[in-house]
Amino acid sequence: RSRDKGEAAAEKINHRLESLKDDVGGHLASQHFIQGGNASFLHPLDLASFASIRSFCKVFSKKYNSLNVLVNNAGINSQGDVTEDGLEMCFQSNFVGHFLLTKLLLNHLLRAKNRYQPGSGIEEEAGRIVNLSSVTHHFAPANERVFATTDSKNLPPNNGIHDQHFWLGSASPGLSSGTYRESKLASILFSMELNKKYGGRGIRSIAVNPGSVSSNIWRNESSMMLKMFKILYLTPQQGSSTSLAGAIGAIPKHDALYLQPYWQPELKKPKQQPTTNIFSFRWRYSLPFPMTEMLGPYIGYAITEPRLPVDGFGGYKSSEALWNVCEQIVNK
């Protein structure tokens, strides 16, 4: 959102890239982490403003013809405020804004060509879309909805289904006290729907949980809590592992929807990928107990089964309802 902060971040990244290029023996460069290029700040972007998103996409479209990777990472963990578009602040910042941004950049993503190393099992894809989720997606069932206020007259009675009424309630101010966790479930369903609609044209989307990270998302907490987070939680560098793997890894085609960074008690299908692939994706886990996806032995990234809505269609009925609601919202 801030040009000054964006330019400072780009400068910091470029400085770091230069230091990596000078790594002893060029090891990192030889592993294809560095292939030229640098970071730059293009234009301010506020995900809580549809006007800002559209402005950014216009500027981007004038400068670039394609987009190889889009990481939908912006988010807040507070709720209750209302955006200039009349939506619940947390749900718009964490999800609906990403929906509009992705939709406006879809043609650029479709024109991209991402090529992977020989032996990776993937020859070429169009653009990659990474959606940041969270362990809290486990706690967004439709049959346990808690309203922030008693004024729920605009929302039909809870039917226990993540249908269009449910998602409209998430986007509407004052109707849900669980918009953060609902936005993180929405991120996973968004990846499902993107793959369904555009997978045949080369688009690939995956949702990732960065883990519990000691980052500035906790900046409003007490100093004592911040010290505790620094001890217990992952570093920002560790927390970026699932996003990096999702962005540039040769993800298996058919059964990888969600990545998380912790070891889990039971493997689903251990599989060793070719060693030529930077990200091997050899760890695969069944649906985990949520606590072990909050804190545990850090392993970097693992394909893990997410907790999807029980809608009788593997979550796709819910993802379709979410997509339709977002289309209505952004097209008003």
Side-chain angles (χ1 to χ4, degrees):
R1 293 180 296 176
S2 164
R3 180 174 291 276
D4 290 341
K5 290 183 178 180
E7 290 176 346
E11 183 178 354
K12 185 176 181 180
I13 292 169
N14 289 328
H15 178 75
R16 177 60 174 159
L17 286 173
E18 287 301 320
S19 67
L20 290 176
K21 290 176 184 178
D22 294 333
D23 180 68
V24 178
H27 173 70
L28 292 177
S30 70
Q31 293 298 313
H32 307 283
F33 279 91
I34 303 170
Q35 297 183 3
N38 62 351
S40 63
F41 180 84
L42 178 64
H43 190 72
L45 172 61
D46 183 356
L47 273 298
S49 166
F50 291 163
S52 176
I53 296 168
R54 291 189 170 98
S55 174
F56 173 85
C57 290
K58 285 182 180 179
V59 173
F60 182 92
S61 298
K62 289 180 180 179
K63 187 170 183 178
Y64 300 104
N65 184 58
S66 63
L67 176 61
N68 293 84
V69 180
L70 174 63
V71 181
N72 288 319
N73 184 42
I76 58 175
N77 64 349
S78 59
Q79 54 191 48
D81 294 331
V82 181
T83 69
E84 63 185 45
D85 301 297
L87 301 181
E88 201 281 328
M89 175 68 78
C90 181
F91 197 76
Q92 178 169 339
S93 298
N94 292 10
F95 180 69
V96 183
H98 291 147
F99 177 89
L100 177 59
L101 178 67
T102 304
K103 185 180 178 186
L104 293 176
L105 294 176
L106 262 175
N107 285 334
H108 292 75
L109 289 157
L110 286 166
R111 285 193 287 266
K113 292 183 179 180
N114 290 327
R115 296 182 177 89
Y116 298 88
Q117 296 177 20
S120 66
I122 301 176
E123 295 181 0
E124 184 178 288
E125 289 180 346
R128 179 74 61 84
I129 303 166
V130 181
N131 294 312
L132 268 287
S133 184
S134 161
V135 65
T136 60
H137 85 272
H138 289 279
F139 308 107
N143 61 348
E144 294 182 9
R145 186 146 206 178
V146 179
F147 294 105
T149 71
T150 57
D151 183 16
S152 59
K153 60 185 179 181
N154 295 322
L155 195 69
N158 188 344
N159 59 9
I161 300 173
H162 293 83
D163 58 9
Q164 291 194 43
H165 295 309
F166 178 89
W167 296 116
L168 280 171
S170 298
S172 302
L175 291 183
S176 173
S177 62
T179 53
Y180 179 82
R181 57 182 180 263
E182 289 159 10
S183 73
K184 296 307 178 180
L185 173 61
S187 294
I188 299 174
L189 299 180
F190 187 33
S191 284
M192 290 173 57
E193 200 67 11
L194 283 166
N195 290 331
K196 184 180 78 173
K197 291 180 179 294
Y198 300 100
R201 299 172 65 183
I203 290 287
R204 186 63 196 277
S205 180
I206 191 162
V208 302
N209 168 19
S212 299
V213 183
S214 178
S215 70
N216 67 356
I217 197 172
W218 307 108
R219 58 188 174 274
N220 295 322
E221 297 290 339
S222 67
S223 59
M224 183 177 71
M225 291 298 293
L226 292 176
K227 290 178 181 177
M228 185 178 70
F229 292 157
K230 194 169 184 179
I231 295 171
L232 296 176
Y233 286 0
L234 303 179
T235 66
Q237 183 174 349
Q238 291 172 322
S240 69
S241 295
T242 53
S243 294
L244 284 170
I248 65 176
I251 301 172
K253 289 185 177 181
H254 303 296
D255 61 347
L257 173 64
Y258 179 71
L259 303 179
Q260 59 82 32
Y262 300 110
W263 174 88
Q264 301 296 323
E266 294 185 11
L267 283 173
K268 182 179 182 181
K269 293 183 294 183
K271 182 178 180 182
Q272 181 66 52
Q273 295 287 327
T275 56
T276 54
N277 184 11
I278 296 173
F279 294 99
S280 67
F281 296 101
R282 65 190 181 92
W283 298 99
R284 294 166 181 251
Y285 294 111
S286 300
L287 182 66
F289 181 64
M291 184 59 69
T292 61
E293 203 187 317
M294 291 181 187
L295 293 170
Y298 168 75
I299 60 172
Y301 50 89
I303 296 171
T304 304
E305 183 181 346
R307 191 177 301 274
L308 299 176
V310 183
D311 59 11
F313 294 87
Y316 283 101
K317 189 173 183 180
S318 305
S319 64
E320 182 178 5
L322 172 66
W323 185 284
N324 290 338
V325 164
C326 290
E327 286 276 18
Q328 295 171 21
I329 291 172
V330 302
N331 289 329
K332 281 185 178 179

